[in-house]
Amino acid sequence: MTSLPPVLCRPLARRHFLAGAAGVLATPFISRLGHAAGKVIRISTPGSDAEWQSKALVKFKEALDKEAPGVFDVQIHFNGTLFGQGTEIEAMQRGNLEVGMISPQDVAEQIPEFSIFTTGYLIRDPKHLDAVYDGPIGKEYKARVAKDMDIEILRSQYLGTRHVVLRQPKDVKVPKDLAGVKLRMPGSASWQFLGKALGANPTPLAFEEIYLALQTGTIDGLENPLPDIISNKFYEVSKQVVLTGHMVANTFFTMSAKFWNGLDAKQKAAIEKAEAAAKAFNDAGVISTEKEAAAFLESKGVKVTTPEVPVFRKQVLAAFADSDFAKNWPKGLLQKIEAA
C-alpha cells in the first residue's frame, strides 16, 4: 500500500483534512435543511390522487420545484384529509391553508351576486369557460374575490362536464323522470338548487362519502364529470350514466391572500408559471378522458343514455332565472357571459 505523504501525517494538517472532509459531507445535509426550510404550501383537495386535478397538483409541485428550487415546500393532501370539501375557504382566511381547490358555488356562498356563475347550462364548452375566467369578466371576478374574501384566485381549471349517474337503471328522458331520485349534491345552496332544477331530490353529502353511500343505497345517484366517475371508480357501484351535460364545470386554484401578499415578485411569477403548466396538463387530460369515457364505462357494464337535453336546459335555465339568486345578479352580466 502506498504511504500517505508526510504532510498529511502531521496532526495539524490532519485536523485541516478532517475539517475539509466534514465540510464536504455536510453540504448535502445543509441543502436538505435549506429545502425543508422553504415556504410551506399546504394544498387541500377532496379528490383522490387518481383525478386529473390531483395529478395537476403534482405537476404544479414539480414545475415549482424547477422554477424556484428550494424556495417552497409543497405538501399535497388528497381525499379531504386535511380539510373537508367546503371548508377550504375559511381555512385559507384563517391562515391554516395556503392553497384550496374551490368552486364558483363556494364563492357564491359569500358573494351572493356571483351565484350567476353557478347557473346550469351557462357555459358552453371548455373554450367558453376560459374566455369567461381568463378575460375581462374573470379579472373583475378575481378582484372582487380578493377584496371581499381575502383569497387570491390564480387560475380556473376545467373540471369536466357534469352528468347524472344512477345506482340503478332508470328511463330518464326529461326532468320529471328524476322525481324522487336522491341525488348527491355538494351542500351549498346553489348546488342544492341545481339538483332541484334537474328534477331530483338533492341530498347533501361529502365527496369522500359517495362511494359507500352508493354501495349501501343511501343515495340513488350523483352528478359529476365522467373523468371523476372513472378515477373514483364510481362505476363499480353504479349502473347508468345519463348524459345531461348540465354544467361545464371548473375549479379554482386559490391561494391565501396573506400568503400570496407575503411573496416577492419573483416568487409570485414562479408560482403563476407553475400553475399555468398544471392547468394545461389538467385540461388536456380531462378533455382526453371525456372523449373515451362513454366507451370505458360501457365496458364496465354501465349503461350510457342520452336524455332530451333541450328540455333539461330549458327547465334549468328558467328555474335559475326565476329564483331568488337572480335578484342579486348584476344587470347585463348574464349577456356578457353568454357573449364571451
Side-chain angles (χ1 to χ4, degrees), residues 142-189:
K142 294 171 187 176
R144 177 70 184 280
V145 168
K147 177 178 177 290
D148 288 8
M149 297 178 60
D150 207 28
I151 57 176
E152 291 283 341
I153 295 176
L154 269 67
R155 195 172 291 272
S156 164
Q157 295 182 356
Y158 180 47
L159 186 64
T161 299
R162 303 178 81 95
H163 305 280
V164 170
V165 182
L166 299 175
R167 181 173 178 267
Q168 296 295 336
K170 186 176 178 64
D171 186 18
V172 178
K173 294 296 184 184
V174 294
K176 68 179 182 180
D177 296 329
L178 289 175
V181 171
K182 292 180 290 184
L183 192 69
R184 179 269 171 183
M185 304 290 294
S188 70

Side-chain angles (χ1 to χ4, degrees), residues 112-113 115-116 119 319-331:
E113 58 263 44
S115 62
I116 190 172
T119 304
F320 272 89
D322 294 337
S323 70
D324 288 339
F325 293 117
K327 295 176 182 177
N328 295 311
W329 293 352
K331 187 176 180 180

